[in-house]
Amino acid sequence: MPFARLAAATTPTAHIGLGLAAVGRPGYLTLGRDRDLPAERTVDALRERTHELLDAAYAQGVRYIDAARSYGRAEEFLGAWLDAHPEADDLVIGSKWGYTYTANWRTEADVHEVKEHSLAMFESQRAETDALLGRHLDLYQIHSLTPDSPALRDTALHERLARLADEGVSVGFSTSGPGQADAIRAALEVRVGGEPLFRSVQATYNVLEPSAAPALAEAHDAGLTVIVKEAMANGRLAPDAAPEVVRGIADAVGAGCDAVALAAVLRQPWSFVALSGCVTAEQLFSNLHAVTVDLTDEHLATLVELAEEPQAYWSRRAELPWG
């Protein structure tokens, strides 16, 4: 299991991962991204930025990297960096299939990605990922599983994914939307040959949207590795946008709002990896301070009060611009 390798890592920051969603393509829905990336978002410019972040992350002890087929050229950028850094063989690499990137390297597009959870899509995207990441890939996840996804009921797909696990690549899924808890619980019931299919779950969890927490605890208890994405709520918990409550706690503990948001995730007993979605090295360094933030029970109780209704949270997320 690749996560056994990650569990054995001795760097304090090993359980903060680097997500490449915001740097593998020119458009993404994160507040402040316009300010933090070059005005000319060419392929070369974002490749250079991605490699800068990978350099910094590895040097700072980050040991999990997250990509996806729909993250523009993220897998391409990552694969090239890995090939040039054989010393980084202790990294755990995860990617996802199930969405096709359709924006054609534009920040403004009617549709940025198209979802399909079929066996044919898996076979197609598995070949594409293999060409870019090859032996580096440790974890392959169904991208944004929802309760109505056919991937929950497609037994032929399940059998194919089980063969992927036999080839040494762990099988997981990610979730999105207000029905995350239902999707997680449904996925826990999927079995092949009497054995659970999925070995990991990647879900959105943050102080504004904590609704998946009970289901994530159940997944952890069932033996799945839990990866948390969007810990900073697509920039809504960043220093220049965070609620006053988060700012107050950040001042009290001497850290940034982003570090507080990530620390709140790391404090959850079921959380194994929390992803940073940074786009600058400065943001990465600030995020990594989360491992030094000592949140009290009183701090955590105060943060609980920020929780929004899931439907309202996800509606607001859908309204964020692809900047």
Side-chain angles (χ1 to χ4, degrees), residues 37-58:
L37 286 176
E40 296 296 325
R41 295 180 199 166
T42 63
V43 172
D44 287 343
L46 287 189
R47 179 189 296 108
E48 180 179 357
R49 178 62 61 88
T50 300
H51 288 182
E52 288 174 359
L53 288 171
L54 289 166
D55 287 341
Y58 190 75

Side-chain angles (χ1 to χ4, degrees), residues 36 47 52 85 111 130 142 168 177 180 188 210-212 242 281 290 307:
D36 298 325
R47 179 189 296 108
E52 288 174 359
H85 293 80
V111 179
D130 186 60
I142 303 176
Q180 285 190 113
L188 292 178
S211 66

Side-chain angles (χ1 to χ4, degrees), residues 143-223:
H143 199 167
S144 291
L145 196 67
T146 52
D148 60 349
S149 172
L152 287 169
R153 299 174 295 279
D154 189 337
T155 56
L157 174 62
H158 299 164
E159 291 172 0
R160 178 64 184 91
L161 291 174
R163 294 202 303 275
L164 181 66
D166 291 340
E167 298 164 8
V169 178
S170 289
V171 176
F173 65 96
S174 74
T175 65
S176 290
Q180 285 190 113
D182 291 339
I184 293 166
R185 291 183 173 116
L188 292 178
E189 299 300 318
V190 176
R191 284 171 166 71
V192 176
E195 296 296 322
L197 174 61
F198 299 111
R199 305 312 306 159
S200 71
V201 51
Q202 178 174 317
T204 294
Y205 172 90
N206 56 62
V207 298
L208 302 178
E209 210 315 43
S211 66
L216 290 172
E218 293 168 25
H220 173 269
D221 291 345

Side-chain angles (χ1 to χ4, degrees), residues 10-36:
T10 57
T11 60
T13 53
H15 295 281
I16 296 181
L18 175 63
L20 302 182
V23 289
R25 52 192 168 184
Y28 190 59
L29 63 174
T30 297
L31 298 176
R33 191 168 176 273
D34 283 342
R35 177 191 62 235
D36 298 325

Side-chain angles (χ1 to χ4, degrees), residues 287-312:
N287 288 177
L288 295 180
H289 283 138
V291 300
T292 69
V293 172
D294 185 17
L295 295 179
T296 66
D297 291 341
E298 182 179 355
H299 290 149
L300 292 172
T302 301
L303 291 171
V304 164
E305 298 175 5
L306 294 174
E308 301 175 355
E309 288 296 322
Q311 193 65 54

